[in-house]
Amino acid sequence: MTKQLENIKHDYIRYANCWEDADLLLDSLDIKPTDKILSIASAGDNSFSLLTKNPKLVLAVDINAVQLHLVELKKVAIVHFTYDDFLNFLGFTTCETRWQMFLSIESKLPTSARLYWNEQQELINAGIIHQGKFEKYFQFFHTKILPFIHSKKTIAELFETKSDKEQQIFFTKKWNNWRWNMLFKVFFSKYVLGKYGRDPEFLKEVQVPVSTFILNKAKKHLSHCACQNNYFLRYILTGKFDTQLPHYARKENFEKIKLNLDRLKTFHGLPQEAFVHYGKFNTFNLSNIFEYMSPTLFNEVSSNLIENSLENAHYAYWNLMVPRQMSTLLENVKNQINTAEVDTLDMGFFYNNFVLDVKK
């Protein structure tokens, strides 16, 4: 896997939020107190959410050390701040004292994370959940592109409570105009998305027209009433979550996560390297790591995951534009869930499907 990633930079925040639906993830995994979970860290959000189910261990793994510094910062913020201060500090709500708040908790951070964040006053002051490359990509969309398509009034109307039929009528008559279609396809083209949103290396295996694929997913979701409460969509179109918060940031989950934070560990490296230190796991949150892998590499990584997992292990992951499914590749894996036909369940509407495979 290392060769596949050697051209990708890992010296900045790529994702300041996790962009996979934690509610869907938790509803699909029957997590027990004895479970050892390997979770792709990204921004840490879904790894925190897994703690609400009281597992034995959640190991947040990432090859990008800066992403792990972000996880450690959020972790310390959860431990030492009240819920309201936690929201203020990370950027969910308005706050003018974030750097002072950081100085009050910096000594609690691991040394490498403390050294990194001591040099990032501007990022912290601006609200860290808005400072990833992916988030800045969406910020450019809603501040520079979307105003040429729709007014703030129309955007607000999209999220108003309506029946499915009313939502379809609104989308068809008021939202789906020629400017939406044209500018959306330009902004979410393979080139623009690769250069300014993700990374060109992450799109090398994509064989479908990127902008058309994402536009069709957006059209389907925005014409369904499920979009009205979609916190991902609200952030993309308005630049903030408002009261529609990700799972880990909801008040009812905050104390549960705080109580279990000693069960969350971080690991800098690849999953196969983590197995050497932590042994076998029985639950996996794999984000969409298979998306950028060639078929050969996907085979190798899948086999390694099976080899280092316990009996009846569960593997949860998403496909975006590259179809990868472990159960179609390995005889000792069976598919339990594939949401391709019921994707309105997934707040990550841009994904093609969510997959849950199980080791036989």
Side-chain angles (χ1 to χ4, degrees):
M1 194 189 300
T2 306
K3 183 178 290 187
Q4 191 85 7
L5 301 171
E6 61 186 11
N7 295 323
I8 299 173
K9 290 184 178 181
H10 301 297
D11 57 355
Y12 62 90
I13 301 172
R14 186 176 298 281
Y15 305 107
N17 303 273
C18 284
W19 290 91
E20 295 88 31
D21 187 343
D23 291 282
L24 176 60
L25 179 68
L26 294 178
D27 288 344
S28 303
L29 291 171
D30 182 21
I31 298 173
K32 299 177 176 62
T34 56
D35 286 354
K36 287 177 62 181
I37 305 174
L38 186 144
S39 179
I40 300 302
S42 183
D45 308 355
N46 291 0
S47 298
F48 293 129
S49 290
L50 290 165
L51 293 174
T52 63
K53 298 298 183 178
N54 304 308
K56 180 180 179 180
L57 170 69
V58 175
L59 184 67
V61 178
D62 212 290
I63 56 172
N64 185 339
V66 179
Q67 292 294 153
L68 295 179
H69 296 335
L70 176 60
V71 176
E72 295 290 356
L73 182 65
K74 289 182 178 180
K75 180 178 179 180
V76 171
I78 293 171
V79 171
H80 294 282
F81 290 145
T82 65
Y83 177 67
D84 289 340
D85 283 346
F86 162 78
L87 294 181
N88 290 337
F89 177 67
L90 290 189
F92 289 102
T93 49
T94 303
C95 180
E96 301 296 329
T97 60
R98 292 193 182 107
W99 186 247
Q100 291 92 323
M101 294 175 74
F102 168 73
L103 294 177
S104 74
I105 62 171
E106 67 164 325
S107 64
K108 310 298 182 182
L109 288 164
T111 301
S112 59
R114 184 172 69 253
L115 291 173
Y116 176 80
W117 289 116
N118 269 320
E119 301 297 322
Q120 308 300 330
Q121 183 173 353
E122 183 177 346
L123 297 186
I124 288 176
N125 279 337
I128 199 62
I129 63 167
H130 307 295
Q131 304 310 308
K133 179 181 179 181
F134 205 50
E135 287 73 21
K136 290 182 181 298
Y137 177 66
F138 288 139
Q139 288 162 25
F140 190 90
F141 177 71
H142 84 76
T143 58
K144 304 297 184 182
I145 306 298
L146 196 55
F148 288 102
I149 304 174
H150 290 303
S151 67
K152 290 183 178 180
K153 181 181 177 181
T154 301
I155 296 169
E157 191 176 348
L158 175 76
F159 294 106
E160 291 177 358
T161 301
K162 299 181 286 295
S163 68
D164 234 9
K165 183 65 176 177
E166 290 169 336
Q167 188 73 30
Q168 291 171 13
I169 293 172
F170 168 81
F171 178 78
T172 302
K173 292 188 174 182
K174 296 195 68 173
W175 192 273
N176 192 32
N177 59 35
W178 67 269
R179 294 185 301 275
W180 164 256
N181 285 271
M182 181 186 72
L183 293 175
F184 188 103
K185 291 186 76 170
V186 171
F187 190 78
F188 291 96
S189 66
K190 187 173 185 177
Y191 173 79
V192 176
L193 177 61
K195 185 174 179 62
Y196 298 105
R198 303 191 76 202
D199 190 289
E201 293 293 320
F202 289 163
L203 299 173
K204 278 193 170 182
E205 294 295 319
V206 175
Q207 302 299 320
V208 299
V210 172
S211 60
T212 301
F213 173 88
I214 299 176
L215 178 61
N216 288 338
K217 298 293 288 186
K219 284 183 175 182
K220 184 174 182 179
H221 189 68
L222 270 63
S223 59
H224 191 281
C225 64
C227 78
Q228 297 160 17
N229 297 310
N230 189 330
Y231 54 90
F232 289 143
L233 180 64
R234 189 175 292 272
Y235 189 92
I236 292 168
L237 298 183
T238 71
K240 52 188 177 181
F241 291 109
D242 285 330
T243 58
Q244 300 292 334
L245 298 175
H247 181 274
Y248 86 106
R250 297 171 198 160
K251 190 171 186 178
E252 65 268 24
N253 298 321
F254 182 76
E255 290 300 330
K256 294 179 184 177
I257 294 170
K258 180 178 287 196
L259 287 172
N260 288 330
L261 269 178
D262 61 331
R263 305 180 191 184
L264 175 71
K265 309 296 181 185
T266 57
F267 182 87
H268 182 211
L270 299 166
Q272 59 262 42
E273 297 166 340
F275 298 139
V276 176
H277 297 272
Y278 287 89
K280 296 184 176 182
F281 292 77
N282 69 326
T283 304
F284 296 81
N285 164 35
L286 299 172
S287 183
N288 67 327
I289 64 168
F290 300 140
E291 182 77 13
Y292 59 81
M293 296 182 186
S294 67
T296 300
L297 182 59
F298 172 54
N299 193 344
E300 293 174 3
V301 172
S302 297
S303 298
N304 184 265
L305 289 170
I306 298 300
E307 181 182 345
N308 289 283
S309 60
L310 299 167
E311 184 179 354
N312 197 43
H314 286 55
Y315 315 87
Y317 55 96
W318 280 261
N319 286 172
L320 184 56
M321 290 174 281
V322 181
R324 297 283 186 263
Q325 191 163 322
M326 295 170 65
S327 57
T328 64
L329 186 70
L330 303 170
E331 292 184 357
N332 56 341
V333 180
K334 63 180 179 180
N335 177 248
Q336 187 162 309
I337 297 175
N338 188 318
T339 65
E341 299 304 317
V342 286
D343 54 8
T344 54
L345 294 174
D346 194 342
M347 292 296 101
F349 62 93
F350 31 81
Y351 286 108
N352 192 47
N353 60 326
F354 167 77
V355 180
L356 181 66
D357 286 336
V358 181
K359 183 176 179 179
K360 294 180 182 177

